[in-house]
Structure formats: structure tokens, C-alpha cells
């Protein structure tokens, strides 16, 4: 039987390379920074948030870490292959992939046309497959993949039919990928965040924030670090016998009674 790592080493990512998609802002940026704090070299992938990605890289480098910004449309197969190769070649391998990129549009179900549906499925689900496939091919010595889904994969919200369907697909894709990639030593897990606070959210959606805060047992919105730390755990040796799991990071809001 393999000896378990020491507790002090469980969240040490020194010598590891982590690629985070959608890392130019928000949750993705928070995940990239957190892995860098744990010692990893980080590929900061972005689509439109070039300035944000460069700011994340600069923050990592100021703290003595290594990082590079990589432009990529994760719905395009060729660009995904290039992104993975660039991260691995620039930083020295690939050990962890965080599939965070996605979109979150609002639309009434009867107003969602085929083009809009396909765009949301591509950004939130197709991208997960393309990135997982490309990364797994580079993880010759095993690795870890963490997909960012949503509590809306389990509890739908109005105006989000396409988004909810895509995130439910991510959760099931995670299980399928875990089943097939385990033989390569690659663990695949999923994190499903609840409502995560960000600048301007309370002003833009006061009723939604108030409703969430009244329902959530832990009494607050989530933070980028809450999600990032769940990713750290699932990508680390602390979760070495966990694969195919979906970790809810929602403050317990899905336990809220409905009657």
C-alpha cells in the first residue's frame, strides 16, 4: 500500500503546472492566484479579458511565482490544442487543468433560438470536453482535472434553461471522464458554486442577493477564494482517492427547505 503524504505537504503545488481557463477575471482569476500561492506555475487562459489576465500574471510574478497569459477561444478545437501546448511548453509540463471558462446569459426559454442555445452549450460544455481531451493527452504521468459547474445543474433558475442544461452536462461529463481517465492516473472532479459575490452585484441584483442571503445556512455569499480552495483540495493529494465527484460550494443553500 502506498504511504500517504504528510499533512503539511497536501496542498503544496511546488513544481506543478496548472492551467486555468477563463482566468482573466472573477472566479478564474481567483483560482489562478490561489494555485500560485500554493507554489504552482500557472497558465492564465483568457478569451476577451487580456488586461485582466495580464494583471493576474503580474500579481503572481510580484509574489515570486511563474505564470503566463494565453489567449484562447475554448470553443475552438485548434485554439484549445495550441493553448494546452503553450502552457505545457512555457511552464514545463501540465499537471492540473481547471475548466472554468463559460458564459452566463439570461433569456426566457421561449426566446432562446437555436444559435443562442448552441453558443451557450459550446461555451459551457463543449469547451470542457475540448480542454479535457487536449490536457489529458499531455498528462502522461497522471494529473487532476476540475470542472466548474454550478448549483443550477441541480436546482434550475428562470431565464437560465440553456445554462442549466449545459452545467448539468458538465456534472455528468465529469463522471464519464473520471470513469475513462482513471486508468491514466487522471482524476476528474467537479465544483458547483452557489452565488459568488463580486463588485456591483448587490446594486445590480439586490433582490437576488437578499433572497440568497436569507436562504443560505452559512449566512453569506461565496467568495472567489471559497471556490478556489475547493479546487485546490480536489486537485491535491488530499483528494487522491476522489474522482467523479461534484462538490457543492454554496454555503448550504441547496439544503434550504421548500415548504
Amino acid at each position: 500500500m502506498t504511504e500517504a503524504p504528510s499533512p503539511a505537504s497536501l496542498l503544496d503545488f511546488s513544481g506543478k503546472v496548472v492551467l486555468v481557463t477563463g482566468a482573466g477575471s472573477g472566479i478564474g482569476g481567483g483560482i489562478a492566484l490561489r494555485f500560485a500561492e500554493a507554489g504552482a506555475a500557472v497558465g492564465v487562459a483568457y478569451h476577451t479579458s487580456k488586461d485582466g489576465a495580464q494583471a493576474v500574471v503580474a500579481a503572481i510574478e510580484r509574489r515570486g511565482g511563474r505564470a503566463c497569459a494565453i489567449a484562447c477561444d475554448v470553443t475552438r478545437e485548434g485554439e484549445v490544442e495550441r493553448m494546452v501546448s503553450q502552457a505545457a511548453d512555457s511552464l514545463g509540463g501540465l499537471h492540473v487543468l481547471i475548466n472554468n471558462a463559460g458564459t452566463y446569459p439570461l433569456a426566457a426559454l421561449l426566446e432562446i433560438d437555436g444559435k443562442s442555445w448552441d453558443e451557450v452549450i459550446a461555451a459551457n460544455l463543449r469547451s470542457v470536453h475540448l480542454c479535457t481531451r487536449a490536457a489529458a493527452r499531455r498528462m502522461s504521468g497522471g494529473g487532476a482535472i476540475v470542472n466548474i459547474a454550478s448549483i443550477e445543474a441541480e436546482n434550475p433558475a428562470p431565464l437560465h434553461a440553456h445554462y442549466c442544461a449545459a452545467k448539468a452536462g458538465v456534472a455528468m461529463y465529469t463522471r464519464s471522464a473520471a470513469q475513462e481517465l482513471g486508468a491514466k492516473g487522471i482524476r476528474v472532479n467537479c465544483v458547483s458554486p452557489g452565488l459568488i459575490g463580486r463588485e456591483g452585484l448587490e446594486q445590480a441584483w439586490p433582490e437576488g442577493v437578499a433572497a440568497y442571503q436569507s436562504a443560505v445556512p452559512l449566512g453569506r455569499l461565496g467568495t472567489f477564494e471559497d471556490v478556489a480552495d475547493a479546487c485546490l483540495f480536489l486537485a491535491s493529494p488530499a483528494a487522491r482517492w476522489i474522482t467523479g465527484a461534484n462538490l457543492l460550494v454554496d454555503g448550504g443553500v441547496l439544503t434550504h427547505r421548500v415548504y
Side-chain angles (χ1 to χ4, degrees), residues 127-160:
S127 65
V128 169
H129 170 61
L130 294 180
C131 293
T132 295
R133 187 184 64 173
R137 287 172 172 169
R138 295 298 294 255
M139 294 176 175
S140 58
I145 297 172
V146 181
N147 301 320
I148 305 300
S150 168
I151 59 170
E152 291 189 24
E154 300 196 21
N155 190 44
L159 307 182
H160 292 169

Side-chain angles (χ1 to χ4, degrees), residues 9-40:
S9 71
L10 289 177
L11 297 182
D12 182 2
F13 283 83
S14 300
K16 303 297 185 182
V17 176
V18 178
L19 174 60
V20 185
T21 67
S25 62
I27 291 174
I31 293 170
L33 289 168
R34 204 64 161 167
F35 270 100
E37 289 177 16

Side-chain angles (χ1 to χ4, degrees), residues 21-25 44-54 70-74 79 101-103:
T21 67
S25 62
V44 179
Y46 69 93
H47 185 204
T48 59
S49 302
K50 181 178 180 179
D51 291 345
Q54 291 177 335
I70 306 171
C72 182
D73 179 347
V74 291
E79 290 198 32
T103 59

Side-chain angles (χ1 to χ4, degrees), residues 2 17 34 39 41 44 50 58 63 102-103 121 125 142 147-148 156 190 199 209 217 222 234 244 253 258:
T2 304
V17 176
R34 204 64 161 167
V44 179
K50 181 178 180 179
R63 300 172 187 176
T103 59
I121 297 299
L125 181 56
N147 301 320
I148 305 300
C190 186
E199 186 175 352
V209 171
L234 288 173
V253 76
V258 295

Side-chain angles (χ1 to χ4, degrees), residues 106-114 116-117 158-162:
L106 303 179
L109 186 147
L110 296 182
E111 303 302 320
I112 300 173
D113 59 22
S116 298
W117 177 272
L159 307 182
H160 292 169
H162 42 8

